[in-house]
Structures are given as structure tokens and as C-alpha cells.
Amino acid sequence: MLSNLRAPEIILILVVVVLLFGAKKLPDMARSLGKSARILKSEAKAMKKDGEADGGTSSEAPSDAAQQAPRTIQAAPGDVNSSRPVAEPNRANQS
């Protein structure tokens, strides 16, 4: 379906988007979309890293995991104003 789009159709879609949202809001929307994509990418990497760590044998006691500092996820690189601690569930109780 998308492979059938040619230049006139793409230009028409862009014109409709500009008319609907206005030229002033488009950069903000693109910035928000990029920020969301970065957050999604970093969360996916963190989940993959956690999955690899859980797959191997762990010699840590459950009490050691509880004493570790909570992870902090930042909304954007270098943006310390929107960082927040992440509460992770105790993996020993989930089994």
C-alpha cells in the first residue's frame, strides 16, 4: 500500500498535515516524537540487558539486590530535570 505512493501523493499528505496542525506546531511535534523514540530505544536496551542478566546464573543473594541503588532513567541525554528513579520489583518474590 505504501509502496504505491508517488511524489504528488506525498506532497498532498504533507500539505494536509501542515493545514491541520499549522507550521508552528510541526517542529514541536517532531521534537516530541524524537524524544519518545529515544526513550523507547533506551527502555528496549535496558530490557534486553536485564533479560541477558537474568538468563545467566546469578551468585548474588536477594538481599544484595535490594541494597543496590535504584536505576535512573533520563528522558533525553543530558536532561537531568526529567530524570526519575525506577522502582524494580523484587525478582525473588515473582518466582
Side-chain angles (χ1 to χ4, degrees), residues 36-87:
S36 299
R38 280 193 301 270
I39 292 171
L40 180 65
K41 186 177 178 181
S42 67
E43 289 291 328
K45 283 183 180 180
M47 288 177 61
K48 185 176 180 182
K49 186 177 177 182
D50 288 345
E52 289 174 355
D54 290 343
T57 58
S58 177
S59 62
E60 293 183 35
S63 62
D64 292 340
Q67 293 174 356
Q68 293 178 350
R71 285 189 330 194
T72 300
I73 297 177
Q74 295 182 349
D79 183 14
V80 295
N81 294 331
S82 61
S83 63
R84 57 182 170 76
V86 177

Side-chain angles (χ1 to χ4, degrees), residues 10-34:
I10 294 173
I11 292 171
L12 179 65
I13 291 171
L14 291 175
V15 168
V16 169
V17 168
V18 169
L19 288 175
L20 286 176
F21 297 108
K24 292 182 180 181
K25 289 188 179 183
L26 288 178
D28 292 334
M29 289 173 44
R31 197 172 299 116
S32 297
L33 184 64

